[in-house]
Amino acid sequence: MELRALRYFVEVVRQQSFTVAAEQMFVTQPTISKMVKSLEDEIGSPLLLRDGRQMVLTDAGRIVYQRGQDVLAAHAQLQAELNDLGTLGSGEVTIGIPPMGGSLFTPAIAAFRQRYPKIDLKLFEQGSRAIEAALISGELELGGVLLPVDPEMIDVLPVTRQVLWLVARHASRWDDLREVPLAVLAMEPFVFYGESLALNDVVLNACRQAGFAPTIVGRSGHWDFMAALVQAGVGIALLPAPYCRRLDATQFTCRPVVEPEIPWEMAIGWRRNGYLSHAARAWLDVARETLPGQAGSDFMHAPMPDNAEPAASQLADHTPK
């Protein structure tokens, strides 16, 4: 069984799309389709069936998908151990970087490059869910993940814990408030996170807990673009507090969301009981030295204006715009 065909098949199942899988693997869709077909021919049974827009695994497909992940993880570990026979004078390490937490890891990346200039440091830019799956499958050694994750599968080094804040245009009805209950945003149009991002599910669950389903008018995985859409009047957004601190206070109103608070907890994750190369362990050591300072300084709550009201209870009688 060809590993490449197995890898393509696993990616198609993860993404539930031949097109998206091809983009992730940097090949054409016909290549993906051909390799999956060759895998089915070799096994002698179909692995995937289409049910409307969804793909359904056959009995054989479930076995190949489950065992295939183990095979790919074992192959990745074998390759890492063989590559690790050398010293830290050379080699490579790939780090998963989520789009919403990328700036958190910049100090560690810079310090690692300075300390180990001959190690090829590669960045895998995907959402936290894709990074988590890649860690479990063994395709990645280290990556930024949004907590919580399965502690039976992934060990973590916490980086920062923040909460999401409301981001609205300046001179909005939120200006004089210190905090905003999530439920009062029920009728607002939301600029939301991409469906592939773990934060998408976190915010959706919080909205359900507050008793409503959000009206989504746009999606992005990049905080600055989300803020730009808010400034353009497309809708409101919920962003981690540190990014709100970077926004121009003359253009935006940012307030903590409560009832419930929505946590944003970032960590570095690696596969529990998995093999970590010398290069990966070195990067983790650098991260331990550099990231806590970043989390404790730049990534903090933005101060509230002196004229902010102590509570948002007065919003109860307002009709959402």
Side-chain angles (χ1 to χ4, degrees), residues 8-17 21 47-48 55 57 61 65:
Y8 289 171
F9 168 71
V10 168
E11 190 65 23
V12 168
V13 176
R14 282 183 190 161
Q15 302 295 342
Q16 283 289 295
S17 167
L47 302 177
L48 288 168
M55 294 180 185
L57 286 170
Y65 177 65

Side-chain angles (χ1 to χ4, degrees), residues 152-203:
E152 297 296 320
M153 301 298 295
I154 295 179
D155 285 325
V156 298
L157 171 67
V159 174
T160 189
R161 185 192 188 282
Q162 302 291 333
V163 294
L164 299 190
W165 284 25
L166 164 70
V167 179
R169 287 200 294 183
H170 186 62
S172 70
R173 63 195 186 95
W174 324 110
D175 285 10
D176 295 331
L177 304 178
R178 184 170 294 276
E179 57 189 26
V180 179
L182 183 58
V184 303
L185 303 176
M187 302 302 293
E188 298 290 331
F190 279 76
V191 177
F192 226 69
Y193 296 99
E195 292 180 284
S196 64
L197 301 185
L199 261 178
N200 177 75
D201 294 343
V202 170
V203 178

Side-chain angles (χ1 to χ4, degrees), residues 284-295:
L284 201 53
D285 287 340
V286 171
R288 286 191 177 99
E289 296 172 13
T290 57
L291 294 188
Q294 171 77 357

Side-chain angles (χ1 to χ4, degrees), residues 1 13 22 56 62 101 118 170 245 265 270 276 291-292 310:
M1 185 179 295
V13 176
V56 179
R62 280 193 292 271
K118 294 184 179 180
H170 186 62
R245 185 170 179 262
E265 298 179 85
W270 60 94
L276 284 181
L291 294 188

